[in-house]
Amino acid sequence: MRTVDRALALGLTEAEFALVCAKLDREPNEVELAVFSLMWSEHCAYKHSKKLLRQLPSEGPRLAMGPGENAGAVTVGDGYVLAFKVESHNHPSAVEPFQGAATGVGGILRDIFAIGARPIAILDSLRFGDPESVRTRYLLDHAVGGIGHYGNSIGVPTIGGEVYFEGPYEQNCLVNAMALGLARADGLIRSAASGVGNALILFGAATGRDGIGGASVLASAELGEEDAAKRPTVQVGDPFAEKKLLECSLELLDRGLLVALQDLGAAGLSSSSAEMASKGEVGLDIDVSRVPLREAGMEPWEIMVSESQERMLCVTDPETVAAVLAVCEKWEVHGTVIGSVTEERVLRVLDGDAMVGEMPVEALVDDCPLYDLTPSPPTSALYPAPPCVLGADVTDPREILLALLASPNIASRRPLFEQYDCIVQSRTVRRPEQADAAVLAMPGGGAIAVSIDGSGRRVACDPYTGTVEAVLECTANLACCGAEPLGLTNCLNFGNPEKPHIAWQLTESIRGLADACRALEVPVVGGNVSLYNESGGGPIYPTPVVGMVGELPDAARAGRSGFAVAGDLVGFAGPFRPSLPGSELAKLRGEELPSSLPPLDIAALRAAQRAIFEAVRAGALASAHDVAEGGFLVALAECCLAGGVGAVLDLGATDDLERTLFGESPGSGFVVSGSPDALAAVGELVDLDVFGTIGGDVLDVTSGRARVVVSLDDLRGAHSALAPLFP
Amino acid sequence: MTRARVLVRPKAGILDPQGVAVERALPALGFSGVANVHVGRLIELDVEDPSQLQAMCEKLLVNPLIEDYEILEDASA
Amino acid sequence: MTRARVLVRPKAGILDPQGVAVERALPALGFSGVANVHVGRLIELDVEDPSQLQAMCEKLLVNPLIEDYEILEDASA
Amino acid sequence: MRFGVIRFPGSCDETDAVLACERVPGCSATLLWHGDADLHGVDAVVVPGGFSYGDYLRVGAIARFSPVMESVIAFSEEGGLVLGICNGFQVLCEAGLLPGALLPNEGLRFLCRQVDVEVVRSSMPFTADCFPGERLSIPVKHTTGRYYAPPAELESLHAHGQIVLKYAAGHNPNGSLDDVAGVTNQAGNVLGLMPHPEHAVDPLTGSRDGLKLFLSMAHAHG
Ligand SMILES: Nc1ncnc2c1ncn2[C@@H]1O[C@H](COP(=O)(O)OP(=O)(O)O)[C@@H](O)[C@H]1O
Ligand SMILES: [Mg+2]
C-alpha cells in the first residue's frame, strides 16, 4: 500500500498528507504516520472548532488556570483552587457502554490530578434514546454501572449529573463526565517539559494494544457499518490502578519531585509527549523499548499510539529519578525512565539504538491545518417531530401534571444516582434531589455548588438561545443553593461539522455560549469538543453541555429545593415569561420543534438570580427551586416531593392556563418559600408573588375556575416512573 | 435436561485487572511458580436444548467485545 | 507448567441473585427450557506444581463458607 | 485515646474515618499503612471502607493477608477494639475475626442510601452510648453487603447477642438475613457493620448518629 493510501485510511486528507511530507521534507515512516494521523485528528487537533473556541472569554479575577492545560481552575479562598473540566466519551460508550463510561470517568479524573489537584467530585451528563427501547435500557444501565464502578471504587463521590432521553440519541448516546479537584494554589503543576537533560518517566499501568486508533479515530469519524471491526479496541478501566496512580502522583508533587506532569489520554504517548514538548518549547527522546508492555511483540508505532488507561508521564531532574521511582514502588505502579528532554524541538522515537521516528514538535502540535466552517441555517426541519405520547385532547391539568412527572426527562433519577457514592470524602452538603445543584463544603467553612446542564432539544430549536438557556439554567441552579458563579467548563457534542447546518448549529451555539459568559462575567476555564456524533439515523441534537461552579460563603446556609417548614409562605419570583413551543409538554404531545425560542434578557435574569442567591445565602429563604422542564406546576410538585409536604396555592386567574402551568423559560422563574417577612424582603429585589402556604399532604393549586388537587402519594408514584428501568 | 457450563474469560489482549491481582497475591502467600492468571465467570445451567447454548452466550451470557467463551456440556451429570 | 482451571460456584442453598437474574432474562430473549442457573467464577492459571492447587483454593481463591469449587487440570493444554 | 485507621491500596473511606475519630473529644487518629505490621501503639483499630486491592477476586479476600492484618488479629486476640466498616467488615469476615460472609446485594447493584439502623444490643463497647432499640440514620454504600451465615451459626449469633445492629423494618438495602447490619465476635471486642458511621458524624453532611459508635468506643477505653 502506498503511504498516501495508508494516510487516507488513517483519516488524513490528501492535502494534510502532503503537508506532513512538506513538514518532514520526506514521506513519513510507519511510526511517524501513526503519530501524525492521531495528532492531526479532529480529537487532538480541534481542526474544525479551534477558531470558533477563540470567541470564548477566559479571563476573570478568580481564574487560576485557563484553557490549554489539562483542566482549568478558579480560586476558592483560603489559598485553595478548584480545578474542573468536562469531557466526552461518547463513541467508546456507544460501543461498550460499561467500559466506555468507566474509562471516560478515569480519563477526566486523570486530567484533574495531572494539574496537581485531588479529585473531589464527579458529575455525569448522559443522553440516550427512548427508554422504552431495549437497546437504550441496555446502554443506560451499563453506562451508569460503569460510571459508578469507576467513581465508587476510586473513592471520588459522584454528586450530580443529568440525563435526557430523546430520539436523536438512540444510535448516538452521549456520555460526558465532569470532574472537580481541589489543590493548594501553590500546588498546581503544568505539563510543559523543561530542563534539557531531565528525565522523562512513564508511570502507571503497563502498555497493551488497548484502543489502538480507538478514541481518536472513533471520536473523529461517524459511526458506520464497520463499527464491529473497531470493537477489538475496547479499553478496560482499572479504577484500582488509577487510585494508586492518583496517590502516587500527588505524593510525587507533595514531595516537590516533579518538573512537569501530564496524563496519557487519547493518542497515548504520542500526544502527551508532543504536548509536553510543545508547551515547554523543547524536544523529547523516547525509547519505546523501555516502555513496560502487557503484551509481547508490540511494534514501536503501537506503543506510541496505545491508549492503555491509567498511565502518566512526568519530567524530573536526573538527581531525583531514584526518589520518583521509590514513590512509584511504594504505590505499586510501574515507573520507568523512557527518555529525556532535549534542546532541539524534535520528538525522536527510539527503539533501543535504532531511530524509528523523528518529527518536529511544532509540526505535530501546531501545524495541523485549521478549517473554517461553512455554516448555513437549515431550510427545513432537521429533526422529526417527537412521537406523540399524550393526546391533544388531554387538557385536565392534573392529568398533564402526572404525565409530565412520569415522563422520562422529568421522572426522578433516584434509580440512577443511588448507584453512585455521593458522600465519600465527607464534603457533600447537598446530595442529589436535596437541592438544584450539588454542594460541597470547602476547607474554610464556605462551600461550592456545581451544576451541569444542557437540553439538546432546545438547542435544536434555536442553537443560540438554547445555549444561552443552558448557561442560565446552570446559574439558576447555583443561585437556588446560594451560590454565585465562578467559572464554566463545557463539552460541545455535535454532528459532522463539515455539513453546513451542523456547522451553523456549532457556530450559533458557541456564539450563544460566548455571549452568555460575557454578560454573566463567567470565564470559560476549559472544555472539550466531540464532533461527528451521527449515524444512519441522522445527527444528534446539538448538545452543548455546560458545567458550572459557584461559591457561597457559608456551607451551613446552602439552599434546598424542597418545601421545608409547614406554615411558611410560597412565592414565585423572577421575570418569568413562559412559552409552550419546545417544552416538555409540547414534546409529549408530539409537536414539531419550533424554529426559534423567545430571546432572553440575560442582564435582567442575572439581576433576578442575584436576588435569589443573596436571599438564600443570607438564610432568608427556607427553600428555592428554579422552574425548568415541565414548567411551574411541575416545579411546585418537585418542591412538595423533595420536602415531603404539600401546599395550598391560589395563582389567581390567568388568560392562558396551560402556558402558565406548563410553559418553560429556563433560568428565569423560582419557587421560593419562607416567612412572610423574608418573602417581603426578597420582593423588594425581584418580582415576587405570594401564592399560598406550605402544609398538608396534597398539592392543591387553584387558578381562576381551574383547580388541581394531587396527593403526595400520587405525585410520588408518577415521579418514580424510571424505577422499572433498573429492575 | 442437559447440565451445561459456560466458561467466560477475558479476551486475549484485554486488560484483566482481577487476574493481575490474583497473580500478585499468590506469591505473597507462599505459592510460587504461578503465571498467566485470568479471572472470568462460570455459568452453570440446565438446558432442554443444548443447541441453543451458543445463541444464549452470544445474546446474553457473554460480552463478545471483551470476552471469549467455551461451552462444556453435560459436564457433571 | 500445567494449565489449570478452578471453577467456583455459590454453595447450594444460598440465594444466587445473579443466577436468578440470568434465569429470568433468558425467556425474555426467547430461550425456554432453562433451569437451575448459577453464576460463579472461573480462575485459569499456569502452575508449576499442580499439587498446590487445593491449598491455593482453600487459602485464597475460594471462601468455603459460601462457595464450592472444582479443579480441572490441564484443561486446554 | 488514639485510633489507628488502616490504609490498604484501594481504601476509600480511611480519611473520613480519621475525621470521624477526631470528632470524639480527647481522641486522635493515625493512618496505619497496610504493609507495616506495627500498629504504633494505637488503642483501637478501624478497618475502613473502600475497595481494598480493588476488591478483585472476592471482596476483602486479598487485604486480609496484608502484614498489618496479622497484627490486627493479634491485637483483637488480646481484647483490643476493632471496628470494621463496609469493606473493613468484609475483610474481618475473610480474616475469620467475625462470623459469616458478605454476598452481592440482592439487587446486584451498588446502592448508596441513607437508612435507619436499629441498635439491638447496647451493652457493649461499640454501642454503650445508645439505648436499646434506638434508631440511627446512617448511610450505606456497597455492592456486596448481604450478610450471610449458615442457619446454625445465625441461631448462635442471636443466642449470644452477637447481632448488634439491624436494618429497621423496610430499610434492609441488600437482602441481609434477618436484617443483620452489624455483628460482633463472641468476645464483643470486634464489630463489623455495612453502614458507614463515619459518614454520619455531622448534621452538615447528613446526620450525626454514627458518631455515637466512636463515642462509645472512647468511653469503653476510658
Ligand atoms: N469547548 C471548549 N471550551 C473551552 N476550552 C476547550 C474546549 N474544548 C477544548 N478546550 C481546551 O482545549 C485544550 C485541549 O483539550 P483536550 O485535547 O480535550 O485536552 P486533554 O487531552 O487534556 O483532555 C484543553 O485545555 C481544553 O480545556
Ligand atoms: Mg489531559
Side-chain angles (χ1 to χ4, degrees), chain D residues 8-33:
Chain D
F8 299 109
S11 291
C12 295
D13 301 282
E14 75 277 31
T15 317
D16 310 82
V18 166
L19 291 173
C21 295
E22 287 173 344
R23 278 177 183 269
V24 180
C27 289
S28 63
T30 26
L31 286 172
L32 301 173
W33 185 241

Side-chain angles (χ1 to χ4, degrees), chain A residues 269-348:
Chain A
L269 210 42
S270 300
S271 70
S272 52
S273 60
E275 304 262 339
M276 289 179 96
S278 161
K279 288 187 179 132
E281 303 184 356
V282 292
L284 285 172
D285 282 357
I286 293 183
D287 181 353
V288 293
S289 73
R290 297 199 186 183
V291 173
L293 300 180
R294 201 174 75 228
E295 287 179 75
M298 285 180 68
E299 300 285 335
W301 72 269
E302 290 181 303
I303 297 171
M304 284 305 288
V305 305
S306 158
E307 295 184 348
S308 286
Q309 300 288 301
E310 291 99 21
R311 299 179 299 163
M312 305 286 284
L313 265 182
C314 68
V315 172
T316 191
D317 191 280
E319 305 243 302
T320 49
V321 165
V324 169
L325 297 182
V327 174
C328 291
E329 180 102 341
K330 170 182 170 190
W331 288 102
E332 301 175 10
V333 305
H334 293 284
T336 318
V337 177
I338 61 162
S340 58
V341 178
T342 60
E343 173 129 38
E344 197 192 348
R345 297 170 67 180
V346 170
L347 179 65
R348 264 192 298 262

Side-chain angles (χ1 to χ4, degrees), chain A residues 1-362:
Chain A
M1 206 189 211
R2 290 182 312 153
T3 315
V4 57
D5 293 328
R6 300 210 346 259
L8 295 180
L10 287 170
L12 293 178
T13 65
E14 248 170 88
E16 286 166 352
F17 177 71
L19 192 57
V20 169
C21 297
K23 295 286 168 193
L24 290 178
D25 254 342
R26 57 181 165 83
E27 280 203 346
N29 66 23
E30 188 176 42
V31 170
E32 292 158 348
L33 183 61
V35 173
F36 265 104
S37 71
L38 286 177
M39 291 303 296
W40 285 23
S41 71
E42 185 64 43
H43 192 75
C44 292
Y46 287 80
K47 50 193 173 185
H48 287 95
S49 63
K50 207 170 214 164
K51 290 188 173 183
L52 292 172
L53 293 177
R54 289 180 186 145
Q55 297 169 55
L56 299 177
S58 59
E59 297 293 321
R62 303 293 292 271
L63 192 80
M65 197 178 264
E69 286 294 328
N70 288 301
V74 294
T75 59
V76 288
D78 298 296
Y80 284 91
V81 299
L82 190 76
F84 57 101
K85 184 173 177 194
V86 60
E87 200 159 70
S88 68
H89 228 209
N90 301 333
H91 288 107
S93 301
V95 173
E96 204 326 274
F98 186 95
Q99 295 298 344
T103 50
V105 170
I108 190 67
L109 289 173
R110 280 195 298 284
D111 273 335
I112 297 297
F113 65 81
I115 68 166
R118 174 172 287 276
I120 60 166
I122 299 164
L123 293 91
D124 61 341
S125 173
L126 309 175
R127 302 290 182 281
F128 293 96
D130 181 354
E132 295 298 315
S133 108
V134 174
R135 176 79 186 150
T136 293
R137 288 206 297 269
Y138 168 81
L139 289 170
L140 172 64
D141 194 11
H142 286 77
V144 169
I147 292 165
H149 166 65
Y150 213 100
N152 299 341
S153 305
I154 198 170
V156 178
T158 302
I159 56 171
E162 49 153 14
V163 53
Y164 284 91
F165 300 93
E166 305 282 358
Y169 303 116
E170 186 78 41
Q171 292 180 53
N172 273 280
C173 63
L174 301 184
V175 174
N176 291 186
M178 174 173 170
L180 291 86
L182 195 60
R184 303 286 316 173
D186 54 10
L188 291 183
I189 183 162
R190 295 187 181 256
S191 55
S194 65
V196 173
N198 278 348
L200 182 69
I201 295 180
L202 174 68
F203 63 110
T207 299
R209 288 197 175 87
D210 308 276
I212 287 190
S216 341
V217 174
L218 279 175
S220 301
E222 291 179 28
L223 280 182
E225 287 299 310
E226 71 284 24
D227 291 353
K230 288 173 182 161
R231 283 175 173 178
T233 61
V234 170
Q235 307 151 42
V236 170
D238 182 355
F240 176 55
E242 180 130 316
K243 171 90 176 151
K244 295 188 292 182
L245 190 64
L246 154 67
E247 298 297 347
C248 179
S249 302
L250 295 184
E251 183 167 338
L252 288 170
L253 273 173
D254 253 5
R255 296 187 177 208
L257 294 171
L258 302 186
V259 173
L261 182 62
Q262 167 69 36
D263 65 299
L264 275 71
L269 210 42
S270 300
S271 70
S272 52
S273 60
E275 304 262 339
M276 289 179 96
S278 161
K279 288 187 179 132
E281 303 184 356
V282 292
L284 285 172
D285 282 357
I286 293 183
D287 181 353
V288 293
S289 73
R290 297 199 186 183
V291 173
L293 300 180
R294 201 174 75 228
E295 287 179 75
M298 285 180 68
E299 300 285 335
W301 72 269
E302 290 181 303
I303 297 171
M304 284 305 288
V305 305
S306 158
E307 295 184 348
S308 286
Q309 300 288 301
E310 291 99 21
R311 299 179 299 163
M312 305 286 284
L313 265 182
C314 68
V315 172
T316 191
D317 191 280
E319 305 243 302
T320 49
V321 165
V324 169
L325 297 182
V327 174
C328 291
E329 180 102 341
K330 170 182 170 190
W331 288 102
E332 301 175 10
V333 305
H334 293 284
T336 318
V337 177
I338 61 162
S340 58
V341 178
T342 60
E343 173 129 38
E344 197 192 348
R345 297 170 67 180
V346 170
L347 179 65
R348 264 192 298 262
V349 183
L350 304 154
D351 183 6
D353 292 335
M355 170 96 77
V356 294
E358 190 171 21
M359 297 154 277
V361 169
E362 221 177 350

Side-chain angles (χ1 to χ4, degrees), chain A residues 520-542:
Chain A
L520 294 165
E521 298 178 83
V522 176
V524 178
V525 308
N528 181 240
V529 180
S530 169
L531 301 176
Y532 300 96
N533 291 288
E534 299 203 14
S535 64
I540 57 163
Y541 282 151

